[in-house]
Amino acid sequence: MYKEKVVPALKTEQGYRNIMQVPKVTKVVLNVGFGRHAKEEKYIEAVERTLSQITGQKPVRNLAKKSISNFKIREGQPIGASVTLRGPRMYEFLDKLITLTMPRVRDFRGISPESFDARGNYTLGFKEQLAFPEITGVDANDIIHGLEITVATSAKTKADGHALLKQLGFPFRKK
């Protein structure tokens, strides 16, 4: 779909002369911070289980780089889990995110066009993982947590990143 529809549309819309100038999605990162549950092994295992169900990949534990006494964090302690998707698995996840997951979110009116950084990368968050179709049964009621999804692109500006994700089918709400 990217090569057949998105690239030609972006070339005409943005005025690119070469196919290599057209921005593309380089990776998708799913991240969950443990927060106050950082010492609860049951919570950490539940988060890792849901991340692996959603993505089909084993998550990596993110460890604290230094101790912060105010947050009761010690150096080397797990403070989050993340999964990085690339290639066909990434495009499969994006398709599932756009067509199945976002419409299942309660009171969904589109995603904010303001969440781009200066380099055209987009970040969105979910308050609960229940919107994903893979989460069913006992896992759904056990532990509810949020997650953050970052879509990294090769775009140079916010406008290029926005145009790319709009062509891919992201449902941005009107400003």
Side-chain angles (χ1 to χ4, degrees), residues 46-62:
V47 167
E48 289 178 342
R49 188 172 50 253
T50 58
L51 274 177
S52 62
Q53 285 175 339
I54 291 169
T55 61
Q57 259 179 234
K58 186 175 186 274
V60 174
R61 285 188 184 183
N62 302 329

Side-chain angles (χ1 to χ4, degrees), residues 19-167:
I19 293 173
M20 299 306 286
Q21 289 179 308
V22 178
K24 61 181 175 266
V25 179
T26 55
K27 66 181 175 179
V28 174
V29 180
L30 283 79
N31 182 38
V32 177
F34 298 146
R36 66 178 180 268
H37 304 288
K39 290 186 174 82
E40 300 172 26
E41 194 60 36
K42 181 182 172 192
Y43 180 85
I44 293 172
E45 288 171 4
V47 167
E48 289 178 342
R49 188 172 50 253
T50 58
L51 274 177
S52 62
Q53 285 175 339
I54 291 169
T55 61
Q57 259 179 234
K58 186 175 186 274
V60 174
R61 285 188 184 183
N62 302 329
L63 305 176
K65 292 182 182 172
K66 57 184 173 179
S67 299
I68 302 171
S69 62
N70 290 345
F71 297 135
K72 297 180 179 151
I73 294 174
R74 298 278 167 252
E75 185 177 344
Q77 177 183 347
I79 56 172
S82 62
V83 176
T84 302
L85 301 171
R86 290 187 169 89
R89 193 174 269 172
M90 169 189 70
Y91 283 110
E92 199 175 293
F93 174 78
L94 285 176
D95 182 47
K96 194 170 41 176
L97 178 73
I98 295 164
T99 58
L100 294 175
T101 306
M102 286 186 189
R104 290 179 62 164
V105 174
R106 248 179 291 149
D107 299 330
F108 184 71
R109 292 184 180 85
I111 55 177
S112 171
E114 305 296 317
S115 297
F116 284 94
D117 66 3
R119 304 285 295 164
N121 302 319
Y122 188 76
T123 302
L124 73 148
F126 285 92
K127 291 185 175 145
E128 51 188 38
Q129 83 279 18
L130 301 177
F132 289 90
E134 296 87 1
I135 309 299
T136 56
V138 181
D139 294 331
N141 300 329
D142 193 19
I143 293 175
I144 295 176
H145 59 84
L147 65 125
E148 173 186 282
I149 299 173
T150 302
V151 180
T153 66
S154 63
K156 303 277 188 254
T157 63
K158 286 182 186 182
D160 290 347
H162 185 271
L164 170 65
L165 295 186
K166 189 139 185 82
Q167 285 295 327

